[in-house]
Amino acid sequence: MPRNPGRHDLGLRASLLFPDREIVERYYVPLVYTACRTCYSELEPDEIFRRAVDGRVDPDRQRELIGRVIESGHGSTIEHIVFTFGISGVSRTLSHQLVRHRAGVAFDQQSQRYVKYKGASTMEPGSIAEAEPALRERYEGQIAGALDLYGDLLAAGIPGEDARFVFPNATRTNLVMTANFRALIHMSGLRLCTMAQWEIRRLFQLIRHEIFAVSPFLGSFLAPKCVPLGYCDEAGNRDGHCPIRPHKDAVLAAWAERAKGSRAGRELPAPEAADAEATP
Ligand SMILES: Cc1cc2nc3c(=O)[nH]c(=O)nc-3n(C[C@H](O)[C@H](O)[C@H](O)COP(=O)(O)OP(=O)(O)OC[C@H]3O[C@@H](n4cnc5c(N)ncnc54)[C@H](O)[C@@H]3O)c2cc1C
């Protein structure tokens, strides 16, 4: 089982910039409810929304419908609500992974062209921090050397957009990320998985924490993808080392075994056996 990155303070942060708890409580669940209910109602959306916001529709009933719709995979209903995060102190290693998500998500990132860093800050992985001191010192020396050279290049008049070529992947960066709720569930499914890289996994633990703080109901949908699926589909977990859910191979094998048992005695004889029986 990979170590839980949550045990280390990595110096990275994720804060929910928008919306606040009041907006989420008052409008977000009614908004998603309205999207779901519009599909099955003669009422116009603004009437459904007003009834949901002013409490004429029991909030438990709203949540129950939303839960059912999400479980059924009707994801467009949750694209109507978005969350904006300020993400800071993450490494460029992380940001490169994060911006691979394209659907339903927007990013703005601190520019290494326009910012002339006086003291660029870097991330040290726990495995290196706890490594044999001589090795750790070589790592730290290499990083410090790269940052020193960056300063020398700037001082010599090299533009920031070129001097930044010496920056290591460990260099920290800041982003603003806005994601609709469908995208956030999808990203969390991948990035909360124990197969995800430790730093991005930690980021999504913080993101989940922020959503929980404004809505435990919505926060409950942010989970490793195996949780809603009921099984793990990661090839790297065929050995079952991550125990959150059984691997799909194990689930299918158990299913096949059970199906075989339930058909016992009812199968047609195999062709060779039938031939042998027919031969006098
Ligand atoms: C554990 C892990 C290891 C990884 N390792 C690598 C690696 O070694 N190398 C590497 O390059 N990347 C790697 N990735 C990144 C991965 O391949 C994806 O690029 C990344 O996770 C973004 O996810 P997504 O494709 O679901 O995109 P999102 O933008 O989050 O898309 C959401 C969903 O929308 C749909 N969608 C989005 N765009 C399209 C489209 N153009 N056409 C059709 N459907 C679309 C898909 O159903 C997709 O799942 C890794 C990711 C993880 C989680």
Side-chain angles (χ1 to χ4, degrees):
M1 180 88 168
R3 282 196 312 176
N4 187 344
R7 289 198 217 116
H8 298 274
D9 176 11
L10 302 173
L12 61 89
R13 284 199 308 282
S15 346
L16 183 60
L17 304 180
F18 181 86
D20 62 15
R21 190 185 180 111
E22 203 185 324
I23 293 173
V24 172
E25 280 179 352
R26 189 160 164 71
Y27 298 113
Y28 267 29
V29 169
L31 205 50
V32 178
Y33 172 78
T34 302
C36 300
R37 195 77 194 96
T38 294
C39 305
Y40 311 111
S41 175
E42 273 187 292
L43 294 175
E44 293 179 1
D46 62 339
E47 179 60 21
I48 298 172
F49 184 60
R50 255 184 286 124
R51 289 181 188 202
V53 170
D54 69 20
R56 273 180 287 164
V57 184
D58 180 2
D60 281 346
R61 224 185 102 205
Q62 297 185 41
R63 286 193 284 268
E64 193 263 329
L65 176 63
I66 293 168
R68 249 187 308 128
V69 168
I70 293 179
E71 201 184 333
S72 308
H74 302 168
S76 57
T77 55
I78 49 172
E79 290 173 17
H80 300 285
I81 54 171
V82 297
F83 295 89
T84 300
F85 296 90
I87 295 170
S88 52
V90 296
S91 74
R92 279 256 165 178
T93 303
L94 181 148
S95 71
H96 186 77
Q97 299 174 74
L98 188 61
V99 301
R100 295 291 305 280
H101 293 283
R102 305 148 287 168
V105 59
F107 300 101
D108 282 286
Q109 180 167 12
Q110 183 183 56
S111 166
Q112 288 185 340
R113 288 187 75 197
Y114 302 124
V115 176
K116 289 207 169 73
Y117 295 85
K118 291 182 190 72
S121 150
T122 57
M123 167 79 68
E124 183 163 283
S127 61
I128 297 177
E130 290 161 15
E132 189 229 321
L135 195 59
R136 191 188 71 228
E137 279 159 26
R138 271 180 66 199
Y139 170 87
E140 289 169 357
Q142 184 92 4
I143 298 277
L147 299 186
D148 279 352
L149 176 55
Y150 170 80
D152 293 347
L153 290 168
L154 285 188
I158 304 291
E161 68 174 10
D162 293 342
R164 67 174 169 160
F165 274 59
V166 299
F167 276 149
N169 274 333
T171 312
R172 291 187 192 255
T173 184
N174 305 325
L175 305 95
V176 172
M177 175 180 90
T178 299
N180 71 44
F181 196 50
R182 183 184 199 172
L184 206 54
I185 291 176
H186 172 75
M187 292 160 80
S188 301
L190 292 173
R191 306 303 183 174
L192 289 171
C193 169
T194 59
M195 297 286 149
Q197 185 251 352
W198 51 268
E199 188 190 359
I200 199 163
R201 192 167 158 228
R202 173 68 177 145
L203 174 69
F204 276 84
Q205 290 171 345
L206 297 175
I207 284 174
R208 178 174 57 183
H209 183 269
E210 288 291 286
I211 300 289
F212 256 104
V214 294
S215 171
F217 170 65
L218 294 177
S220 71
F221 293 101
L222 304 185
K225 62 185 166 154
C226 64
V227 171
L229 277 176
Y231 58 85
C232 169
D233 63 357
E234 283 288 340
N237 191 36
R238 284 216 160 89
D239 61 2
H241 68 273
C242 173
I244 298 177
R245 290 291 181 275
H247 192 270
K248 69 175 173 191
D249 288 357
V251 174
L252 287 173
W255 178 79
E257 195 56 39
R258 206 174 147 191
K260 209 166 75 186
S262 69
R263 279 202 305 269
R266 287 194 282 124
E267 297 96 324
L268 290 172
E272 315 82 66
D275 286 351
E277 274 171 27
T279 308

